[in-house]
Amino acid sequence: MTEANYEKTLAEFGDSFDLVHRSFHQDKFRIVYLNSLVDSQSLEWEILSPLREMSFNHLEQATDQSLFKRINDQEEVIKGILDGNVAMFAGAYTYLINVPGFEERAISQSERETVINGPHDSFNEVLQTNVSLIRRRIRSPRLKMISLSVGDISKTRVLVIYIEGTAKMSIVNQLKERIQAIKVDSITDSNFLIQKLDEHQNSPFPQFYTTERPDIAVSKLYAGKIIGLVDDSPNIICTPSSFFDFFESPDDLYQRWTIGVAVKLLRYLALFVTLILTAFYVSICTYHYEMIPQSLLQSLMQSRSRVPFPPFIEALFLEIVIELLREAGARLPTKIGQTIGIVGGIVIGQAAVQAGITSNILIIVVSVSAIASFIVPSYGMSASIRLVRFLFIIMAGFLGNIGIFFTLGIVIIHLMGLTNFSSPYIKAISPAFFKSWMDNIIIKPFYRNK
Amino acid sequence: MKAGDHLKERLHPFQLSILLYSIQNGLVVYTLPRVTAQYFGTNGWLSIIFIFILVNINILLIATIYKLGKGRSIFEIIEATIPKWVMIPIYLFIICVWIGLASMIMREYIFIMKIFFYPALPAVYFVIFFTLLGFQLLTGGIHHITKAFVVLICFVMPMLALLLYLISEFEFDRFTSFYFKGGTDYFEGSLRVYSAYLGIEVSMLLFPVVDKKWTKSLFIGNFFSLFIYLIVTFMCFGFFSFDQVLNDLYPIMTLFEYTEVSFLSRAENLCFCVFAFKILATTVIYYWGAQKTLENIAGKVKPGLWIILILATGFVLALIPGSVAHVEKWSNWLSNCAILIAWALPIFVLGVLFIQMLRNQMLRETDYAK
């Protein structure tokens, strides 16, 4: 441990643009801070004015407040200044005065997880604000937080939050240990952290549920789960997560339960449509023409008669175009994004058919499967499903229907082997069978909830 | 739950019931109406019920071993009385039969698939994918296998609903009022029908991983199979005439050819493709049984090595047969051996258990006399 020292502190920061150092009363009190990280008003009221007026007559008494923290270690002083504290050197003593204040994004509606009913606020990038959004929803001292730090250089703060008595302490401790064991220089977002925490890092499926909605975070806490907040990230992580969590939307709970259940089942249907529909088209048109009823066969043949490519190439081409459009739409500013929508609509709509590159029916099939993929509420899961869909298409082109079922087998066997903090990723088939189905897949009627 | 706790978790009876249903040799169902008609004659479907009773007796033997052996694995029971080296030839025979039967079931399925739907594709592609899926499952262990099949079988079961489309063509007149007339060889027929229930004997190796009240799963799983076999065969006898059933190589395949829904016709393809999961279950459980037996013979070798060895053997064996007739011959021969194992092994283990119990009683009596 190095003794905290004014000169050393200044030397450490060098000629930083936002470094401010001042002294008062013939160098009796010296302060150092970064003006980009402190709140100027609090600084004036809490530190500068009392120092100028020399109202720190009883230094011991004044520094006894929770605002002041006496520190001896040089490293802690540096860390404190970087956290938005003012370091005050008063004789032999060094204090950190907590007056943080920096620019933050206002609490706004979540763009990724929109709901029709229910609260509309969402987390932002500031840890303190995010904690306050949770605190004000759970007014209980049982809400506990463990503060950790990740990243050798970034020293990003990570909070593990749980409700004592509801969450399993074994998982809390396990999560804490795993976060502490992470060795990286920096993390910039919670999505980075979860990839470090994943038990199956090469799986395409997201294993930690993330959300930017405080109401979901709180409902997870009440359900006995543990959430993790990362400073500078609006996404909170939730564990243990199951595959079915990714198909939930808070709207399911804010509607009549029957409607909620129907919508949820619709999402599972969408999952299968996304995965299988295009692949099924490829398979039928390549190997199993006999499966098409006679009435449909004529229009399909007419539609395909001008297309010079095999169904596999045709479908792959259109799927890739859709993915290009989606990615372009996601990266471009909203105003240009509209143009992409129009261009894409024309290209993959009428023009591709007229040019004889694809068939009408394939456009319907691909569009339906694209729409179905966006029904999945979690963007991460939706992206995974879209990627896996390509495997289905390739296998359908290669082996037809049996190829689709081989792929389904591979995916399901893979999913059944996944775990999140030692709890199975697909819980519905864990021992208490029917009850788990009710809890995980279908929403219970509200009158049966405690 | 601590890391790895799920590995110690006992299999739930419900999961086991589904697993035990799924591991029974379902491929036979595609020929079952013809086999019953050929060997048992008119209304031959009734033979499925008689054989079911026999299978239940077999299961009862397994359940008795579990009860009397107090949950010890059969290897522990056997090797407490008989030295391991004496048993090795028998173990090797079991391993060979199980791996061989698994490969032949897989290959027969692939042959039928090729004949009907993929005449131009080489069989090796299908064998590769079966082996790949088998590898994925075997490396996960029995818990993984069970959980995966509980989900995979959910895709197979709905195919039964397609039978509803055939009800309009169903007529009771076709059953005729004669029972077991025109049959050929009841014994051979019984063996063929019995082979439809094979697979359940591997449950003898499940003792260390199951719940205490698991034995009911054996009966439930077996009853599930009976229900499916019966409903499909019954439907077939009422849908086709007796002669048609007798002369059709795969009557169930023909049966499903008649299904037509508004957006799909000839669902036999879909049904047969989904059936791959059931074939996979039978294949994998036999491989798993072979793996466990091999592990018992040489416990120090890493399980991964056994898995690769078993799968490689299965892969090569599956590529040997050149025709359906060839594979059927092998399959029949091996399933007869498997039936022998299914009966002889439990009886042998029970015998060993009785000897142990008698010896224990004698020891107790001697102690008491002292």
Side-chain angles (χ1 to χ4, degrees):
Chain A
M1 193 182 84
T2 328
E3 192 104 346
N5 177 305
Y6 176 71
E7 283 75 26
K8 267 191 232 160
T9 310
L10 282 186
E12 192 98 36
F13 282 104
D15 50 357
S16 292
F17 165 74
D18 52 352
L19 184 76
V20 180
H21 52 100
R22 295 176 68 174
S23 51
F24 298 86
H25 303 283
Q26 285 100 36
D27 293 347
K28 198 174 168 192
F29 297 104
R30 288 187 284 196
I31 59 169
V32 180
Y33 60 92
L34 296 169
N35 66 7
S36 56
L37 293 180
V38 298
D39 178 29
S40 53
Q41 217 166 1
S42 308
L43 179 74
E44 178 62 36
W45 275 99
E46 302 289 350
I47 304 164
L48 297 182
S49 302
L51 276 176
R52 268 198 298 270
E53 290 157 20
M54 196 46 215
S55 54
F56 281 139
N57 286 335
H58 305 285
L59 189 68
E60 290 290 319
Q61 224 171 331
T63 54
D64 211 21
Q65 304 169 55
S66 66
L67 200 66
F68 289 76
K69 199 171 155 196
R70 208 161 98 183
I71 298 286
N72 284 329
D73 185 12
Q74 176 65 30
E75 237 178 82
E76 290 225 13
V77 170
I78 300 292
K79 199 168 162 264
I81 293 172
L82 289 169
D83 272 343
N85 290 280
V86 172
M88 183 168 88
F89 299 89
Y93 300 123
T94 309
Y95 298 93
L96 284 179
I97 310 154
N98 193 18
V99 281
F102 33 79
E103 293 307 312
E104 64 174 282
R105 185 165 64 92
I107 294 172
S108 56
Q109 275 206 22
S110 167
E111 283 191 14
R112 215 183 55 191
E113 296 165 80
T114 48
V115 292
I116 297 158
N117 298 311
H120 289 283
D121 54 349
S122 71
F123 291 123
N124 68 7
E125 287 75 12
V126 183
L127 193 67
Q128 214 132 12
T129 317
N130 295 347
V131 170
S132 82
L133 286 174
I134 293 171
R135 265 277 188 223
R136 74 174 194 218
R137 282 175 161 91
I138 305 178
R139 295 176 193 87
S140 165
R142 278 168 62 195
L143 183 75
K144 303 288 177 201
M145 299 178 193
I146 302 171
S147 180
L148 303 162
S149 152
V150 178
D152 288 343
I153 299 173
S154 70
K155 308 268 184 224
T156 311
R157 271 183 300 170
V158 175
L159 272 187
V160 173
I161 305 183
Y162 62 95
I163 297 179
E164 202 176 40
T166 313
K168 273 189 184 172
M169 282 315 286
S170 58
I171 302 180
V172 174
N173 294 331
Q174 214 183 327
L175 180 64
K176 193 176 132 188
E177 280 165 25
R178 279 215 221 159
I179 293 176
Q180 281 170 335
I182 293 174
K183 291 272 171 274
V184 280
D185 283 347
S186 66
I187 57 164
T188 46
D189 188 73
S190 54
N191 285 309
F192 187 91
L193 181 76
I194 54 179
Q195 293 199 43
K196 284 273 168 194
L197 292 172
D198 275 346
E199 281 159 18
H200 307 266
Q201 298 191 338
N202 294 323
S203 169
F205 293 97
Q207 289 144 55
F208 281 87
Y209 182 76
T210 59
T211 179
E212 47 180 31
R213 296 184 55 85
D215 54 333
I216 299 183
V218 168
S219 71
K220 297 284 177 201
L221 282 172
Y222 283 134
K225 298 193 175 183
I226 300 139
I227 63 169
L229 267 70
V230 177
D231 205 359
D232 312 322
S233 169
N235 301 307
I236 65 118
I237 61 175
C238 172
T239 191
S241 304
S242 86
F243 180 72
F244 302 101
D245 288 347
F246 296 89
F247 292 85
E248 281 174 1
S249 161
D251 254 346
D252 301 345
L253 296 168
Y254 301 145
Q255 299 183 70
R256 309 283 308 164
W257 77 269
T258 40
I259 298 162
V261 169
V263 174
K264 221 168 166 189
L265 291 176
L266 186 74
R267 279 192 213 116
Y268 294 118
L269 177 73
L271 166 70
F272 277 95
V273 168
T274 312
L275 285 178
I276 286 168
L277 196 62
T278 315
F280 200 52
Y281 171 88
V282 172
S283 153
I284 282 184
C285 292
T286 316
Y287 290 100
H288 315 291
Y289 265 112
E290 78 277 4
M291 284 181 78
I292 308 162
Q294 219 167 3
S295 48
L296 192 66
L297 187 66
Q298 209 176 2
S299 55
L300 183 75
M301 287 316 291
Q302 261 174 6
S303 160
R304 269 203 51 76
S305 60
R306 288 188 59 219
V307 182
F309 312 115
F312 170 63
I313 301 290
E314 184 194 0
L316 206 61
F317 161 73
L318 216 55
E319 284 287 354
I320 290 173
V321 169
I322 293 247
E323 285 302 304
L324 288 174
L325 279 173
R326 187 197 53 75
E327 190 58 20
R331 303 287 151 241
L332 281 173
T334 330
K335 283 176 188 165
I336 310 172
Q338 285 173 354
T339 326
I340 287 290
I342 296 163
V343 172
I346 294 167
V347 169
I348 66 165
Q350 216 46 42
V353 177
Q354 279 171 1
I357 294 174
T358 59
S359 71
N360 276 325
I361 291 179
L362 180 64
I363 289 194
I364 298 169
V365 166
V366 170
S367 316
V368 169
S369 82
I371 292 167
S373 78
F374 295 119
I375 286 180
V376 179
S378 159
Y379 181 76
M381 181 53 87
S382 168
S384 308
I385 292 168
R386 278 200 309 275
L387 181 70
V388 173
R389 180 175 56 170
F390 279 94
L391 188 64
F392 275 88
I393 297 171
I394 293 167
M395 284 292 283
F398 179 44
L399 288 178
N401 278 353
I402 189 77
I404 296 179
F405 286 111
F406 275 143
T407 319
L408 193 66
I410 291 171
V411 171
I412 287 175
I413 295 166
H414 170 74
L415 282 173
M416 299 314 295
L418 292 183
T419 49
N420 182 262
F421 275 86
S422 305
S423 97
Y425 191 52
I426 297 203
K427 272 189 181 159
I429 51 101
S430 284
F433 185 79
F434 191 68
K435 199 174 162 289
S436 300
W437 270 86
M438 280 292 281
D439 291 350
N440 285 308
I441 298 178
I442 294 171
I443 306 156
K444 253 193 272 184
F446 294 132
Y447 54 79
R448 290 183 63 185
N449 280 346
K450 274 195 277 178
Chain B
M1 194 187 264
K2 284 179 199 163
D5 268 9
H6 59 288
L7 301 174
K8 291 176 212 152
E9 171 194 327
R10 298 269 157 159
L11 293 171
H12 192 264
F14 182 86
Q15 293 175 324
L16 267 177
S17 305
I18 296 186
L19 176 79
L20 293 167
Y21 155 68
S22 62
I23 61 178
Q24 288 188 308
N25 182 7
L27 190 61
V28 180
V29 80
Y30 274 85
T31 51
L32 205 54
R34 177 176 54 82
V35 167
T36 53
Q38 187 184 332
Y39 291 106
F40 294 94
T42 47
N43 280 313
W45 58 275
L46 281 168
S47 62
I48 298 172
I49 301 173
F50 299 131
I51 303 297
F52 168 75
I53 297 165
L54 271 181
V55 179
N56 271 339
I57 297 170
N58 194 341
I59 292 173
L60 206 64
L61 289 177
I62 297 171
T64 317
I65 295 174
Y66 182 75
K67 287 258 162 70
L68 294 179
K70 296 189 178 76
R72 282 182 298 159
S73 82
I74 59 158
F75 299 124
E76 276 176 55
I77 297 171
I78 295 171
E79 282 153 27
T81 309
I82 301 165
K84 194 191 268 184
W85 61 268
V86 177
M87 289 304 294
I88 285 179
I90 298 168
Y91 289 156
L92 287 176
F93 171 71
I94 294 172
I95 292 164
C96 292
V97 170
W98 281 355
I99 296 179
L101 185 59
S103 307
M104 287 309 123
I105 292 169
M106 185 215 298
R107 188 58 212 260
E108 195 177 347
Y109 174 80
I110 293 169
F111 258 125
I112 302 173
M113 172 142 276
K114 259 176 70 64
I115 292 167
F116 279 90
F117 315 115
Y118 303 96
L121 274 178
V124 67
Y125 293 160
F126 300 97
V127 183
I128 288 173
F129 280 104
F130 267 111
T131 311
L132 187 74
L133 286 166
F135 181 76
Q136 229 186 328
L137 284 163
L138 288 172
T139 45
I142 189 69
H143 290 87
H144 191 190
I145 293 173
T146 311
K147 286 176 181 177
F149 281 116
V150 170
V151 176
L152 291 176
I153 287 302
C154 292
F155 293 94
V156 185
M157 299 299 262
M159 294 298 145
L160 269 186
L162 287 170
L163 289 177
L164 294 174
Y165 287 96
L166 306 170
I167 284 179
S168 56
E169 293 290 321
F170 184 89
E171 270 177 41
F172 278 101
D173 296 350
R174 297 195 180 111
F175 283 92
T176 73
S177 52
F178 300 100
Y179 291 91
F180 296 143
K181 293 279 183 283
T184 48
D185 186 346
Y186 284 2
F187 181 70
E188 179 66 22
S190 303
L191 286 179
R192 294 285 69 76
V193 177
Y194 200 100
S195 67
Y197 293 98
L198 276 179
I200 207 141
E201 73 274 17
V202 186
S203 63
M204 274 186 284
L205 305 181
L206 288 173
F207 293 172
V209 288
V210 286
D211 230 27
K212 265 189 181 165
K213 290 178 179 169
W214 78 290
T215 41
K216 62 181 175 196
S217 314
L218 282 168
F219 295 100
I220 296 170
N222 196 36
F223 183 76
F224 243 20
S225 292
L226 168 80
F227 175 74
I228 305 239
Y229 294 159
L230 210 56
I231 200 165
V232 175
T233 318
F234 186 77
M235 194 73 200
C236 221
F237 272 77
F239 191 84
F240 299 117
S241 71
F242 181 69
D243 278 337
Q244 273 176 309
V245 174
L246 207 56
N247 292 312
D248 196 341
L249 202 55
Y250 304 106
I252 303 291
M253 195 76 95
T254 321
L255 185 74
F256 282 112
E257 276 175 19
Y258 286 91
T259 50
E260 180 154 354
V261 283
S262 48
F263 51 90
L264 198 77
S265 66
R266 301 194 52 158
E268 90 278 9
N269 176 327
L270 208 61
C271 286
F272 200 66
C273 288
V274 177
F275 220 69
F277 293 147
K278 195 137 164 39
I279 306 301
L280 184 71
T282 315
T283 314
V284 162
I285 209 71
Y286 272 126
Y287 284 162
W288 179 80
Q291 183 202 338
K292 288 290 133 187
T293 319
L294 274 171
E295 275 175 21
N296 181 59
I297 294 175
K300 282 179 187 165
V301 182
K302 279 184 182 171
L305 194 73
W306 287 137
I307 293 171
I308 292 169
L309 188 77
I310 290 167
L311 287 172
T313 317
F315 183 85
V316 174
L317 282 178
L319 293 178
I320 295 171
S323 67
V324 187
H326 194 182
V327 84
E328 263 178 10
K329 198 181 87 188
W330 275 101
S331 182
N332 287 347
W333 193 83
L334 284 165
S335 68
N336 290 349
C337 291
I339 294 169
L340 179 74
I341 293 169
W343 280 91
L345 191 62
I347 292 171
F348 174 69
V349 178
L350 268 180
V352 172
L353 265 173
F354 276 122
I355 292 170
Q356 284 172 3
M357 282 161 72
L358 276 174
R359 197 184 288 166
N360 283 347
Q361 205 176 352
M362 275 168 68
L363 277 175
R364 240 179 285 140
E365 277 170 12
T366 333
D367 283 349
Y368 190 69
K370 277 178 191 171

